[in-house]
Amino acid sequence: MLYIVLGIITTLFAVVGAAVFAFAIRRMVQTVRLGRPAESERTGPFGRRLTTTLLEVLGHNRMLKRPWVGVAHWFVMVSFPLLVFTVAEAHGEVWDPHFHLPVIHDWTVYGLAIELITALGLIAIVGLAAYRQLNGPRRRGRDSRFANSVHWTAYYVEAYIVALLVAIFVIRGFKAAMGDFPFPVWAAPISHALGAVLPASEPALALVAAFKLIISWMFFMVLAAVLTMGIGWHRFTAPFNIFFKRDPEGGPALGGLKPMMDKSGKKPLDFEEADPDEDPFGVGKVEDFTWKGLLDFSTCTECGRCQSQCPAWNTGKPLSPKKLVMDLRDHAYAKAPYLMQGITEETPDIHDDVLSLLGRPLVGTEEEGGIIHPDVLWSCTNCGACVEQCPVDIEHIDHIMDMRRYQVMIESSFPSEANTLLKNLENKGNPWGMAEDRRMDWMSELDFEVPVVEDELPEGTEYLFWVGCAGALEDRAKKTTKAIAELLHMAGVKFAVLGGMEACTGDPARRLGMEYVFQMLAQQNVETLNEAGVTKIVASCPHCFNTLGNEYPQLGGEYDVIHHSQLLAQLVDEGRLTPVQPIEENITYHDPCFLGRHNKVYTPPREIMEQVPGITTKEMHRHKERGFCCGAGGARMWMEERIGKRINTERVDEALTTDPDTVSTACPFCQVMLGDAINEKKSAGEAKESLEVVDVSQLLLRSVKPDASPSEEEQKETA
């Protein structure tokens, strides 16, 4: 009688659990489909996307950025599908404790596999649970990557997995005690050890099997009831989110921003014909996100890797990429049932609570009831650390930028300092508002003539040197520009510059969210470059490098773009530049975000320093993929930093732990931001007076051309 009751109960759990879970999947799919169409490129190439998905899911290559956590998670992950055989077996064991799976029940390899997977999965989940406790917010506060996570869901999932795996061993132990266990001791040592202490009780085995089934089907019921339970749902949604990621080759969604698309999602928005009442000018409501955005929100597992690497969060600002995604997810799933019924703010006789929910602004203060606070939105530097770290390929920056676009172009709501930036870009073609003829001032200090393009590139020109606004107009960056020009001249590289015809690439405008100004500047530059016959460009600014190489193709500008550190490293390798003068200094290198994370250029700057005799390099704790931002990206260079610790100060504090004589970098924005922070440290007596920030090209020039070393007077000017 016991077995019949247990069999009926567990069968009911299975039927109800499967039914409600299927209904939950349907609701989730319907919610995701509320989003606008995504770019058509999301679906192809199928083979490459499938390969990437398999590599990331089965190979765990992104999870393994934190090695032991990645290994532990892999064993927990594989236990879920592979131990399904034990669940199937349990459905028979509640009716008959002597039940075995057909065919494979006595295969020694099967018995060994279940033993290993269960044991390693149990060790892994206990280890991960212990790690969560040791590094939880109760112990580490804001420094915990689990801060802002929903903790009960994590505890529930961990408890469920532990209970399931223990139940598997207990059932096998009872079978061993009953003499109904076909596997030798060497293939199932834990099960045999349990069998030695457990009684040969058939009812006990059936009860444990029933317990195992009930908690298993209850897990699916809980998921069905809580569609926002990311730590449970991600095992089902992550493979799809990875498959539809922006980069089918497997890289994170970094580099160029995706263009604004029309309402069909099939072609970029044409501002000459676009209608903001019909076409999406960014995202003003949660349903304005694409379906891929809603899938992103549904997939967040709340692991906090993004948060732990975010420069804004690490310096006391309100932006947590994880919490931003979670807040958008919770709002989307709260609003979805009404949207699916066609209920809007205009629907008559709707309840005040529903009206309040539907009318909540996506971006707004607490008083306004906003989902995302403006301080959260404008704290982002676009550094890409969140996207780089996310193991399930959530595209945080794309979503932040879509919200910024709406705020800037529709609401005209953005930090007041950015007004000056936009006016200068529109009127003068550079962020500082300087006259275009000032772009050639840096050439006057060179002892050779730099060819300037008039209509077409001079014959025999190998590269157009894209100087950039900072490189042409900012005093510290000009030194880098002159160093690059001298090195290219010494190496016999034929190059030319646009001079006054060069305008800002539009990166600051685009990263602010003003797509219209970006397109205006970009189209002007593309026309100039194409008419001049430019095919190869060397850029000194990583932001220009990224925009020219990754975003201009969206507007018909197809160029072979290289960063100056790549070209100089190549020239040294070819013997066209030979460092000879030793530089006896301890140097730490700062990775620019838009050169490193966004474009994977980590090695060339380091190769340049390795070739300079005398240099001793010491890496900061956070470097390469985990490098820390200088604070200038995302148009933050032109916005005041009023909340928390300054990001550039945090980075310089880290640099000072290496006791450097020089901080090197390969970006004019980084050079300015780090230089400002170092000057503050000098004023406070916290950094030696001789400490300076220089570009790697300046270091190379000092060694190739010994008389290029800065004089004391120049060092004072820099300081």
Side-chain angles (χ1 to χ4, degrees):
M1 185 66 181
L2 172 66
Y3 304 140
I4 295 174
V5 171
L6 292 178
I8 292 173
I9 291 173
T10 54
T11 300
L12 286 174
F13 265 92
V15 171
V16 174
V20 298
F21 188 65
F23 181 68
I25 292 174
R26 180 172 176 267
R27 281 190 297 156
M28 181 171 281
V29 170
Q30 288 175 327
T31 300
V32 169
R33 291 183 65 184
L34 287 172
R36 291 189 294 103
E39 314 93 292
S40 57
E41 291 80 6
R42 294 282 185 177
T43 55
F46 179 84
R48 181 64 257 181
R49 288 186 176 278
L50 181 60
T51 301
T52 295
T53 304
L54 292 174
L55 286 173
E56 290 196 24
V57 175
L58 300 181
H60 251 42
N61 53 355
R62 293 180 68 78
M63 279 294 298
L64 290 171
K65 289 180 179 181
R66 294 175 183 262
W68 90 260
V69 173
V71 170
H73 186 274
W74 188 86
F75 281 112
V76 173
M77 179 198 72
V78 298
S79 69
F80 192 77
L82 294 182
L83 294 179
V84 70
F85 293 104
T86 68
V87 175
E89 195 168 28
H91 273 288
E93 290 164 343
V94 294
W95 295 93
D96 175 10
H98 291 280
F99 174 82
H100 291 287
L101 290 175
V103 183
I104 64 172
H105 74 277
D106 59 351
W107 288 4
T108 300
V109 67
Y110 168 72
L112 175 62
I114 297 299
E115 192 85 358
L116 283 174
I117 294 166
T118 307
L120 292 172
L122 187 58
I123 293 169
I125 193 62
V126 170
L128 292 172
Y131 178 82
R132 180 181 290 272
Q133 292 304 311
L134 292 172
N135 293 279
R138 282 178 296 183
R139 294 173 64 94
R140 300 191 60 195
R142 188 183 175 96
D143 290 338
S144 169
R145 67 185 177 96
F146 301 112
N148 297 313
S149 295
V150 181
H151 300 295
W152 78 262
T153 58
Y155 299 149
Y156 171 72
V157 171
E158 289 164 353
Y160 158 65
I161 295 173
V162 169
L164 177 69
L165 297 177
V166 168
I168 291 172
F169 273 130
V170 171
I171 291 171
R172 287 161 69 92
F174 275 125
K175 286 193 170 185
M178 291 161 49
D180 193 20
F181 195 57
F183 310 116
V185 173
W186 66 265
I190 299 173
S191 301
H192 277 285
L194 285 172
V197 297
L198 290 174
S201 172
E202 295 181 1
L205 188 155
L207 285 168
V208 175
F211 168 78
K212 174 184 167 185
L213 291 173
I214 289 170
I215 64 171
S216 295
W217 289 112
M218 279 189 64
F219 176 73
F220 287 95
M221 294 179 193
V222 171
L223 287 184
V226 189
L227 292 179
T228 57
M229 188 175 172
I231 196 168
W233 274 103
H234 82 277
R235 66 192 60 205
F236 304 102
T237 58
F240 295 100
N241 206 53
I242 294 168
F243 181 87
F244 291 115
K245 68 191 290 186
R246 191 142 59 93
D247 181 8
E249 299 300 319
L254 293 171
L257 283 179
K258 64 180 184 180
M260 291 176 62
M261 307 297 287
D262 67 3
K263 58 186 177 184
S264 72
K266 295 180 180 179
K267 63 179 183 177
L269 206 60
D270 182 348
F271 280 97
E272 293 184 0
E273 300 178 359
D275 179 358
D277 293 327
E278 295 289 333
D279 294 302
F281 274 49
V283 168
K285 298 179 180 179
V286 74
E287 60 267 30
D288 291 339
F289 285 105
T290 65
W291 62 260
K292 176 57 170 66
L294 296 178
L295 181 58
D296 269 358
F297 308 153
S298 306
T299 305
C300 179
T301 183
E302 302 176 27
C303 67
R305 292 187 181 207
C306 58
Q307 178 178 284
S308 70
Q309 297 296 307
C310 177
W313 181 258
N314 276 278
T315 53
K317 295 168 183 62
L319 169 60
S320 160
K322 174 178 69 174
K323 189 174 186 303
L324 178 139
V325 167
M326 291 168 59
D327 289 344
L328 292 172
R329 175 195 67 194
D330 294 347
H331 180 57
Y333 279 89
K335 197 173 180 181
Y338 303 104
L339 296 176
M340 284 187 276
Q341 296 175 56
I343 298 174
T344 67
E345 294 174 73
E346 286 72 37
T347 302
D349 302 324
I350 58 174
H351 194 278
D352 287 347
D353 290 343
V354 176
L355 182 62
S356 175
L357 170 66
L358 296 176
R360 287 188 71 183
L362 195 63
V363 177
T365 62
E366 293 176 3
E367 293 77 14
E368 295 167 334
I371 307 303
I372 305 299
H373 195 283
D375 288 340
V376 170
L377 187 67
W378 295 108
S379 292
C380 179
T381 67
N382 280 205
C383 73
C386 50
V387 182
E388 171 70 41
Q389 285 293 312
C390 183
V392 294
D393 288 306
I394 293 171
E395 298 164 1
H396 312 72
I397 292 179
D398 285 347
H399 309 318
I400 288 171
M401 290 311 307
D402 279 339
M403 289 187 284
R404 281 190 178 186
R405 285 164 167 166
Y406 185 86
Q407 291 301 302
V408 172
M409 291 190 286
I410 301 299
E411 298 290 341
S412 297
S413 175
F414 52 90
S416 58
E417 311 96 300
N419 266 316
T420 303
L421 165 67
L422 292 175
K423 287 177 182 176
N424 288 337
L425 289 173
E426 287 188 76
N427 299 328
K428 298 294 185 179
N430 67 80
W432 287 279
M434 294 186 185
E436 65 180 33
D437 57 8
R438 295 284 304 278
R439 284 185 175 273
M440 295 186 283
D441 286 356
W442 61 274
M443 300 181 199
S444 62
E445 299 178 39
L446 297 175
D447 57 7
F448 60 91
E449 184 178 347
V450 176
V452 179
V453 177
E454 294 183 3
D455 295 313
E456 296 183 358
L457 279 179
E459 188 176 347
T461 302
E462 295 178 63
Y463 290 96
L464 175 83
F465 179 18
W466 187 274
V467 179
C469 299
L473 304 171
E474 205 283 325
D475 288 339
R476 284 166 285 190
K478 282 187 203 177
K479 295 177 180 178
T480 299
T481 303
K482 289 184 287 187
I484 295 168
E486 284 199 64
L487 289 165
L488 295 180
H489 179 70
M490 293 169 66
V493 176
K494 292 186 177 181
F495 68 96
V497 299
L498 289 175
M501 291 198 299
E502 183 182 293
C504 178
T505 59
D507 169 81
R510 190 172 222 193
R511 297 285 166 172
L512 179 72
M514 180 52 85
E515 186 76 9
Y516 173 75
V517 173
F518 162 73
Q519 288 204 17
M520 178 187 74
L521 291 166
Q523 288 169 350
Q524 173 186 327
N525 284 326
V526 167
E527 184 178 345
T528 299
L529 292 168
N530 289 347
E531 287 180 356
V534 174
T535 57
K536 297 171 72 175
I537 299 174
V538 56
S540 60
C541 174
H543 295 261
C544 298
F545 167 65
N546 179 68
T547 306
L548 291 165
N550 296 324
E551 297 181 353
Y552 274 26
Q554 300 168 6
L555 299 167
E558 298 281 352
Y559 315 109
D560 181 6
V561 186
I562 189 170
H563 186 255
H564 75 266
S565 64
Q566 295 173 296
L567 181 55
L568 294 179
Q570 178 184 322
L571 295 173
V572 172
D573 186 55
E574 293 172 354
R576 296 170 67 179
L577 291 173
T578 305
V580 291
Q581 179 69 28
I583 299 177
E584 304 293 344
E585 293 182 6
N586 176 33
I587 296 179
T588 189
Y589 175 72
H590 164 79
D591 285 288
C593 299
F594 277 75
L595 183 64
R597 263 192 301 269
H598 280 268
N599 287 284
K600 303 303 178 189
V601 180
Y602 298 111
T603 305
R606 290 173 169 83
E607 287 179 339
I608 290 172
M609 291 188 291
E610 287 172 4
Q611 295 300 315
V612 176
I615 287 182
T616 301
T617 58
K618 186 173 182 181
E619 296 280 13
M620 286 181 259
H621 174 66
R622 293 175 288 201
H623 63 280
K624 293 187 177 178
E625 287 89 351
R626 293 195 186 184
F628 198 78
C629 184
C630 75
R636 290 294 322 175
M637 179 90 166
W638 292 273
M639 290 184 260
E640 188 52 54
E641 199 169 342
R642 297 185 176 89
I643 304 173
K645 184 178 181 180
R646 294 182 70 89
I647 293 173
N648 58 343
T649 302
E650 171 74 8
R651 186 54 164 167
V652 165
D653 282 340
E654 185 173 3
L656 292 176
T657 63
T658 68
D659 190 28
D661 299 307
T662 296
V663 177
S664 69
T665 188
C667 171
F669 288 7
C670 296
Q671 195 169 358
V672 170
M673 297 296 285
L674 300 181
D676 288 348
I678 284 175
N679 288 339
E680 290 176 5
K681 293 292 180 182
K682 288 179 181 179
S683 299
E686 298 174 9
K688 49 194 174 187
E689 286 298 321
S690 59
L691 182 61
E692 60 177 342
V693 184
V694 301
D695 190 273
V696 290
S697 62
Q698 294 172 269
L699 292 173
L700 180 59
L701 183 62
R702 289 186 199 175
S703 185
V704 173
K705 184 181 178 183
D707 61 357
S709 298
S711 64
E712 290 184 14
E713 190 62 34
E714 286 179 317
Q715 290 188 37
K716 287 179 183 177
E717 288 178 9
T718 301

